């Protein structure tokens, strides 16, 4: 039987636990046992059905934190996987399994990097922490945001944070996410008057009335972006109206849309501009807004520089800084004043059937994490 590295063995142990969000399936206790052996103090934080823990070694600042999640998205049709999604399988240089890239592989790399770093630097500067949740792939209500609120209430501040999300594009370390766009979703209700299609003078069709406003919203230039962020985008994701009958004019229409927005505009400014457009078209409307997160940016500083230098030292890659992609739990940590970056595996197969990660990549990632720790905390 092939002997795999400590990182790969731990990744396999984690993948084998079916931790579909918000379930943890014992992943966190496995991690806690490794961390307690390294001298970490553990705080388990259970909020509703979500498992979280905060682990810390040391009491002084600066405080370096690894942040991640043990939950995974559902597998999709199991019969379409080449091998069972919760049976880690090695095939043609890849490790297959749900969570291999997002993000059990990254968490395994956290742990083994820490084990080596602490063995070599038992009296390191400052403190090291881990913030682990089982709610990143779910509603994100009782996960990282609740832990951060708890830390803020006692003025426990993170200085540097690496989120182990799969940030890389082609090779491990080729991209660092040094920020993310904000995300806000609106559910718009446009009301009309229902009736028979043969009597248009007795109805008000909300689809007809809203069409011009929706076209204007889609064509609007919300901002021009900046050197770190692309322009803010507006996308309609769902539209529903009607009873299903061909001869009934609907009484209302529901439109769900989303903004991914840059630091050039605020959520409140977007709401106001949407209101102005809807009112200009004289619609009868209501909107429910859900703000998933504001944009954040770590443009420069110790963490970015240490990360770039570590990646180059381990891989020879001159990494690219990027704010593209979806949201991450970094959006809850950055507002506390922490420098936050995302460094993790290649993201090509995340959330897909046959999710996988290159076998060699997890050891490389672990080496990168250890190198960053040494640059920031070694005496």
């Amino acid at each position: 039987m092939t002997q795999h590295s400590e990182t790969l063995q731990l990744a396999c142990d984690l993948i084998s636990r079916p931790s579909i969000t918000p379930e943890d399936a014992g992943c966190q206790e496995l991690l806690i046992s490794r961390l307690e052996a390294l001298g970490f103090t553990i705080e388990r934080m259970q909020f509703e059905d979500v498992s979280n823990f905060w682990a810390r070694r040391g009491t002084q600042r600066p405080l370096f934190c690894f942040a991640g999640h043990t939950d995974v998205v559902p597998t999709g049709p199991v019969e379409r996987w080449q091998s069972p999604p919760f049976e880690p399988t090695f095939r043609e240089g890849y490790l297959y399994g749900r969570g291999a890239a997002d993000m059990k592989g990254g968490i395994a790399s956290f742990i083994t990097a820490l084990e080596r770093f602490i063995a070599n630097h038992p009296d390191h500067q400052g403190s090291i922490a881990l913030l682990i949740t089982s709610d990143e792939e779910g509603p994100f209500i009782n996960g990282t945001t609740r832990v951060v609120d708890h830390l803020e209430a006692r003025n426990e501040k993170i200085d540097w944070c690496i989120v182990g999300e799969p940030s890389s594009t082609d090779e491990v370390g080729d991209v660092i996410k040094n920020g993310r766009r904000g995300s806000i979703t609106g559910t718009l209700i446009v009301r009309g008057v229902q009736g028979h299609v043969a009597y248009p003078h007795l109805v008000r069709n909300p689809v007809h009335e809203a069409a011009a406003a929706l076209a204007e919203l889609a064509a609007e230039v919300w901002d021009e972006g900046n050197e770190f962020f692309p322009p803010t985008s507006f996308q309609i994701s769902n539209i529903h109206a009607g009873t299903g009958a061909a001869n009934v004019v609907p009484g209302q229409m529901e439109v769900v849309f989303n903004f991914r927005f840059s630091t050039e505009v605020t959520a409140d400014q977007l709401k106001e501009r949407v209101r102005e457009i809807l009112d200009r078209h004289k619609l009868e409307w209501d909107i429910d807004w859900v703000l998933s997160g504001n944009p954040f940016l770590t443009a420069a500083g110790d963490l970015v520089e240490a990360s770039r230098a570590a990646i180059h030292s381990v891989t020879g890659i001159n990494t690219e800084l990027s704010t593209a992609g979806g949201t991450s739990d970094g959006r809850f940590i950055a507002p506390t004043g922490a420098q936050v970056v995302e460094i993790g595996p290649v993201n090509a197969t995340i959330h897909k059937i046959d999710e996988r990660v290159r076998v060699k990549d997890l050891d490389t990632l672990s080496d990168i994490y250890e190198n960053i720790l040494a640059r920031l905390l070694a005496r």
Side-chain angles (χ1 to χ4, degrees):
M1 181 176 178
T2 302
Q3 181 66 33
H4 295 296
S5 70
E6 284 285 326
T7 305
L8 285 165
Q9 290 182 52
L10 179 54
C12 289
D13 285 346
L14 292 169
I15 292 167
S16 68
R17 298 164 192 258
S19 55
I20 297 173
T21 191
E23 293 297 323
D24 172 66
C27 292
Q28 293 185 17
E29 290 303 319
L30 174 62
L31 301 175
I32 285 169
S33 67
R34 303 276 285 250
L35 293 168
E36 285 180 329
L38 297 175
F40 281 82
T41 299
I42 310 298
E43 292 182 70
R44 294 170 177 84
M45 300 184 188
Q46 185 79 26
F47 300 120
E48 303 297 335
D49 58 350
V50 174
S51 299
N52 310 282
F53 75 82
W54 171 253
R56 179 162 179 165
R57 186 181 196 272
T59 59
Q60 303 300 311
R61 294 183 72 174
L63 173 56
F64 177 100
C65 177
F66 284 122
H69 60 92
T70 52
D71 59 321
V72 297
V73 295
T75 62
V78 174
E79 65 275 10
R80 291 182 55 197
W81 285 70
Q82 296 181 61
S83 51
F86 295 112
E87 291 182 16
T89 304
F90 293 93
R91 193 165 54 247
E92 298 179 347
Y94 286 87
L95 169 59
Y96 285 77
R98 175 58 85 221
D102 189 14
M103 61 170 287
K104 292 180 175 181
I107 288 179
S109 298
F110 288 168
I111 301 297
T112 56
L114 283 169
E115 289 171 339
R116 294 191 308 275
F117 174 75
I118 290 171
N120 293 326
H121 306 279
D123 61 343
H124 59 79
Q125 298 181 63
S127 303
I128 304 172
L130 287 92
L131 194 171
I132 305 296
T133 183
S134 68
D135 186 38
E136 198 275 344
E137 301 290 8
F140 61 80
I141 295 170
N142 291 308
T144 298
T145 183
R146 291 285 297 273
V147 178
V148 169
D149 287 347
H150 191 77
L151 298 176
E152 284 288 283
R154 64 192 191 198
N155 199 34
E156 189 169 0
K157 295 288 189 179
I158 298 169
D159 295 288
W160 303 309
C161 181
I162 291 180
V163 183
E165 290 289 351
S167 61
S168 303
T169 301
D170 297 310
E171 301 288 339
V172 168
D174 61 358
V175 175
I176 292 174
K177 303 292 188 184
N178 67 319
R180 292 283 192 167
R181 292 174 295 175
S183 176
I184 185 170
T185 296
T187 300
L188 168 67
I189 301 295
V190 179
R191 287 182 292 275
V193 176
Q194 181 175 315
H196 198 294
V197 297
Y199 300 92
H201 60 291
L202 299 179
V203 302
R204 282 184 24 243
N205 192 319
V207 178
H208 295 179
E209 291 186 353
L214 295 179
E216 185 172 342
L217 288 167
E220 180 78 359
V221 176
W222 304 94
D223 61 46
E224 300 291 344
N226 55 41
E227 63 176 311
F228 295 105
F229 290 93
T232 292
S233 68
F234 168 91
Q235 290 292 325
I236 294 172
S237 57
N238 291 272
I239 295 182
H240 177 76
T243 64
N247 60 354
V248 179
V249 171
Q252 72 175 32
M253 176 175 67
E254 179 182 275
V255 182
V256 181
F257 59 87
N258 177 267
F259 286 102
R260 293 301 166 105
F261 61 102
S262 77
T263 50
E264 295 294 306
V265 67
T266 68
D268 286 342
Q269 288 171 337
L270 291 172
K271 291 179 185 180
E272 177 61 22
R273 288 171 64 181
V274 168
R275 184 194 67 76
E276 290 172 354
I277 289 172
L278 296 176
D279 284 348
R280 187 159 60 249
H281 288 270
K282 303 187 185 308
L283 302 179
E284 185 182 347
W285 61 273
D286 285 307
I287 290 184
D288 286 329
W289 295 98
V290 175
L291 176 65
S292 299
N294 285 305
F296 72 89
L297 179 68
T298 302
D302 297 334
L303 182 59
V304 168
E305 296 313 309
S307 299
R308 299 181 85 164
I311 289 168
H312 188 268
S313 176
V314 173
T315 69
I317 292 172
N318 293 315
T319 193
E320 172 191 347
L321 299 178
S322 171
T323 61
T327 59
S328 81
D329 277 359
R331 70 192 187 276
F332 303 124
I333 300 168
T336 69
Q339 297 177 35
V340 179
V341 297
E342 298 170 31
I343 305 172
V346 172
N347 57 27
T349 63
I350 60 173
H351 293 202
K352 292 185 177 181
I353 301 293
D354 289 333
E355 181 181 348
R356 61 191 179 273
V357 65
R358 291 190 193 96
V359 168
K360 66 181 180 65
D361 284 0
L362 295 187
D363 288 323
T364 300
L365 185 60
S366 182
D367 289 343
I368 290 170
Y369 291 154
E370 182 187 5
N371 195 299
I372 294 170
L373 285 164
R375 290 175 186 276
L376 293 173
L377 295 179
R379 290 190 185 275

